[in-house]
Amino acid sequence: DGEGDDLTGVKTETRPKTKRPPLYKVLILNDDYTPMEFVVHVLERFFGLSHAQAFEIMLTVHKKGLAVVGVFSYEIAETKVAQVMDFAQRHQHPLQCTMERE
Ligand code: TYC
Protein backbone atom coordinates (compact mmCIF):
# COMPACT_ATOMS: atom_id res chain seq x y z
CA ASP A 1 0.00 0.00 0.00
CA GLY A 2 2.86 2.33 -0.80
CA GLU A 3 4.79 1.75 2.44
CA GLY A 4 8.20 0.13 2.10
CA ASP A 5 10.94 -0.84 4.51
CA ASP A 6 14.58 -1.05 3.37
CA LEU A 7 17.35 -3.27 4.85
CA THR A 8 18.19 -0.70 7.55
CA GLY A 9 14.59 -0.54 8.65
CA VAL A 10 14.08 2.93 7.19
CA LYS A 11 10.60 3.61 5.93
CA THR A 12 10.56 4.37 2.21
CA GLU A 13 7.39 5.98 0.97
CA THR A 14 6.34 5.26 -2.58
CA ARG A 15 3.14 6.18 -4.39
CA PRO A 16 0.55 3.42 -4.39
CA LYS A 17 0.23 2.22 -7.97
CA THR A 18 -3.35 3.00 -9.00
CA LYS A 19 -2.75 3.08 -12.71
CA ARG A 20 -5.73 4.30 -14.72
CA PRO A 21 -5.96 3.62 -18.44
CA PRO A 22 -4.95 6.65 -20.55
CA LEU A 23 -7.77 8.79 -21.95
CA TYR A 24 -8.10 10.20 -25.45
CA LYS A 25 -9.76 13.41 -26.60
CA VAL A 26 -11.84 13.10 -29.76
CA LEU A 27 -11.68 16.30 -31.83
CA ILE A 28 -13.73 17.60 -34.72
CA LEU A 29 -12.01 19.91 -37.21
CA ASN A 30 -13.45 22.76 -39.21
CA ASP A 31 -13.51 22.86 -43.00
CA ASP A 32 -15.15 25.16 -45.57
CA TYR A 33 -17.54 22.63 -47.15
CA THR A 34 -19.27 20.36 -44.65
CA PRO A 35 -22.78 21.72 -43.97
CA MET A 36 -23.39 22.90 -40.42
CA GLU A 37 -26.49 20.69 -40.10
CA PHE A 38 -24.46 17.64 -41.06
CA VAL A 39 -21.95 18.31 -38.26
CA VAL A 40 -24.79 18.82 -35.76
CA HIS A 41 -26.30 15.52 -36.88
CA VAL A 42 -22.96 13.71 -36.48
CA LEU A 43 -22.52 15.05 -32.95
CA GLU A 44 -26.04 13.97 -31.95
CA ARG A 45 -25.77 10.57 -33.59
CA PHE A 46 -22.29 9.41 -32.54
CA PHE A 47 -21.71 11.33 -29.33
CA GLY A 48 -25.18 11.30 -27.80
CA LEU A 49 -25.32 15.08 -27.53
CA SER A 50 -28.57 17.03 -27.35
CA HIS A 51 -29.39 19.23 -30.33
CA ALA A 52 -28.46 22.34 -28.31
CA GLN A 53 -25.10 20.90 -27.17
CA ALA A 54 -24.34 19.66 -30.69
CA PHE A 55 -25.15 23.05 -32.21
CA GLU A 56 -22.95 24.82 -29.65
CA ILE A 57 -19.94 22.56 -30.32
CA MET A 58 -20.44 22.83 -34.08
CA LEU A 59 -20.36 26.64 -33.80
CA THR A 60 -17.21 26.50 -31.65
CA VAL A 61 -15.50 24.38 -34.33
CA HIS A 62 -16.72 26.73 -37.06
CA LYS A 63 -15.32 29.77 -35.23
CA LYS A 64 -12.18 28.38 -33.55
CA GLY A 65 -11.13 25.65 -35.96
CA LEU A 66 -11.60 22.63 -33.73
CA ALA A 67 -13.17 21.43 -30.49
CA VAL A 68 -13.05 18.46 -28.17
CA VAL A 69 -16.24 16.44 -28.51
CA GLY A 70 -15.55 13.95 -25.75
CA VAL A 71 -12.93 12.01 -23.79
CA PHE A 72 -12.82 8.22 -24.00
CA SER A 73 -10.68 5.12 -23.58
CA TYR A 74 -8.47 4.33 -26.59
CA GLU A 75 -10.83 1.73 -27.99
CA ILE A 76 -13.98 3.86 -27.72
CA ALA A 77 -12.21 6.94 -29.12
CA GLU A 78 -10.91 4.91 -32.06
CA THR A 79 -14.41 3.60 -32.79
CA LYS A 80 -15.94 7.12 -32.67
CA VAL A 81 -13.30 8.47 -35.07
CA ALA A 82 -13.83 5.59 -37.49
CA GLN A 83 -17.64 5.96 -37.35
CA VAL A 84 -17.49 9.72 -38.04
CA MET A 85 -14.90 9.40 -40.82
CA ASP A 86 -16.89 6.63 -42.51
CA PHE A 87 -20.19 8.52 -42.22
CA ALA A 88 -18.64 11.73 -43.62
CA GLN A 89 -17.02 9.87 -46.49
CA ARG A 90 -20.26 8.08 -47.37
CA HIS A 91 -21.95 11.50 -47.58
CA GLN A 92 -18.99 12.96 -49.49
CA HIS A 93 -18.20 15.61 -46.92
CA PRO A 94 -14.58 16.43 -46.01
CA LEU A 95 -15.31 16.52 -42.26
CA GLN A 96 -12.29 15.42 -40.22
CA CYS A 97 -12.34 13.73 -36.85
CA THR A 98 -9.21 12.78 -34.92
CA MET A 99 -8.05 11.69 -31.47
CA GLU A 100 -5.19 12.72 -29.21
CA ARG A 101 -3.91 11.44 -25.91
CA GLU A 102 -5.03 13.61 -23.01
N1 TYC B 1 -17.37 25.69 -41.67
C1 TYC B 1 -18.49 24.91 -42.13
C2 TYC B 1 -19.42 25.78 -42.97
O1 TYC B 1 -19.31 26.99 -42.92
C3 TYC B 1 -19.28 24.28 -40.99
C4 TYC B 1 -18.49 23.30 -40.21
C5 TYC B 1 -18.53 23.32 -38.82
C6 TYC B 1 -17.71 22.34 -40.85
C7 TYC B 1 -17.83 22.40 -38.07
C8 TYC B 1 -16.99 21.39 -40.11
O2 TYC B 1 -16.38 20.50 -37.99
C9 TYC B 1 -17.05 21.44 -38.73
N2 TYC B 1 -20.33 25.18 -43.69
Side-chain angles (χ1 to χ4, degrees), residues 28-32 34-36 39 58 61-62 95:
I28 295 278
L29 278 56
N30 189 36
D31 66 73
D32 292 339
T34 305
M36 290 185 172
V39 178
M58 180 282 295
V61 177
H62 178 69
L95 179 65

Side-chain angles (χ1 to χ4, degrees), residues 4 8 17 24 29 46 55 60 62-63 80-81 87 94-95:
T8 67
K17 288 193 192 113
Y24 291 79
L29 278 56
F46 298 112
F55 196 89
T60 299
H62 178 69
K63 288 192 278 196
K80 302 278 182 203
V81 170
F87 191 68
L95 179 65

Side-chain angles (χ1 to χ4, degrees), residues 61-101:
V61 177
H62 178 69
K63 288 192 278 196
K64 311 240 172 172
L66 82 179
V68 175
V69 183
V71 177
F72 308 95
S73 68
Y74 182 87
E75 194 171 317
I76 301 291
E78 195 182 44
T79 301
K80 302 278 182 203
V81 170
Q83 285 173 331
V84 172
M85 293 301 283
D86 177 66
F87 191 68
Q89 188 156 69
R90 273 165 32 222
H91 289 82
Q92 307 201 346
H93 293 310
L95 179 65
Q96 295 283 72
C97 181
T98 182
M99 61 195 272
E100 120 182 347
R101 204 175 153 158

Side-chain angles (χ1 to χ4, degrees), residues 10-78:
V10 174
K11 298 271 174 143
T12 51
E13 283 296 330
T14 54
R15 282 194 302 256
K17 288 193 192 113
T18 54
K19 220 169 180 178
R20 294 138 297 134
L23 292 174
Y24 291 79
K25 298 183 280 196
V26 170
L27 303 117
I28 295 278
L29 278 56
N30 189 36
D31 66 73
D32 292 339
Y33 306 103
T34 305
M36 290 185 172
E37 318 78 64
F38 183 82
V39 178
V40 171
H41 178 74
V42 161
L43 297 177
E44 291 177 308
R45 179 170 177 149
F46 298 112
F47 297 93
L49 301 179
S50 69
H51 189 78
Q53 288 175 316
F55 196 89
E56 196 172 294
I57 291 180
M58 180 282 295
L59 263 195
T60 299
V61 177
H62 178 69
K63 288 192 278 196
K64 311 240 172 172
L66 82 179
V68 175
V69 183
V71 177
F72 308 95
S73 68
Y74 182 87
E75 194 171 317
I76 301 291
E78 195 182 44

